[in-house]
Amino acid sequence: IGQAMRRLSKWGVIPYRFLKKGGVEVLLITTKSKKWGLPKGNMIRRLGPSRTALIEAYEEAGVAGKVSKETVQCIHKNTCLYLYPMLVTKVYSCWPEDSKRSRKWVKLSEATKIIGRKGLRKTLKEFSPEEFST
């Protein structure tokens, strides 16, 4: 069972930033099916979970930042997503998948309306970056 569970896990980030006038934005990216989602991918064993998540953030969304120590978990279909809240510190103008994906910053309240997957919408509704930004 352990092996099967690992295979059905994805690791990623919830990229966010605080706005000067208050409030929070999250960075969404398009998925292969053109829905809005978050950067995530399969665990790269030699890197471990948090570094895998940082790599996915860079490859899929072109951002770098500081990930929290804890993950937010969410189930989608039969896949368990482990998402590290990530305070974005750098946004690249070119990144590995920029030709395949779009990205956009949206207010957290807006993200919960447009994100494609129900499990992720629920997770973002409960997401409070203030808890993580230490």
Side-chain angles (χ1 to χ4, degrees):
I1 281 182
Q3 191 66 34
M5 275 311 295
R6 257 201 308 274
R7 195 170 50 242
L8 297 174
S9 299
K10 299 266 187 199
W11 300 83
V13 297
I14 302 174
Y16 69 91
R17 65 184 180 190
F18 293 104
L19 299 171
K20 285 185 176 66
K21 56 187 180 293
V24 174
E25 284 184 332
V26 292
L27 184 68
L28 301 183
I29 60 167
T30 51
T31 60
K32 287 184 183 83
S33 57
K34 300 295 176 235
K35 291 188 170 88
W36 290 103
L38 295 166
K40 63 192 172 314
N42 296 319
M43 164 87 78
I44 304 164
R45 275 225 177 88
R46 63 187 164 75
L47 295 181
S50 63
R51 286 184 57 208
T52 294
L54 285 166
I55 296 278
E56 292 300 329
Y58 171 66
E59 288 181 350
E60 295 189 354
V63 289
K66 192 172 173 289
V67 291
S68 77
K69 288 177 182 66
E70 297 151 54
T71 59
V72 176
Q73 290 177 27
C74 135
I75 303 286
H76 169 63
K77 292 184 177 154
N78 57 359
T79 303
C80 187
L81 304 178
Y82 297 93
L83 300 167
Y84 287 92
M86 182 181 91
L87 182 61
V88 173
T89 55
K90 186 158 178 54
V91 178
Y92 297 90
S93 51
C94 298
W95 68 99
E97 297 186 16
D98 65 358
S99 61
K100 291 188 213 159
R101 298 178 189 273
S102 304
R103 64 181 178 186
K104 70 173 174 178
W105 286 102
V106 293
K107 286 208 167 77
L108 188 52
S109 55
E110 189 64 22
T112 59
K113 295 187 188 98
I114 66 172
I115 206 151
R117 299 184 156 87
K118 201 165 63 188
L120 278 179
R121 280 201 300 269
K122 185 176 179 296
T123 300
L124 284 179
K125 274 195 176 103
E126 295 162 5
F127 177 58
S128 171
E130 290 76 16
E131 293 171 32
F132 297 97
S133 57
T134 46

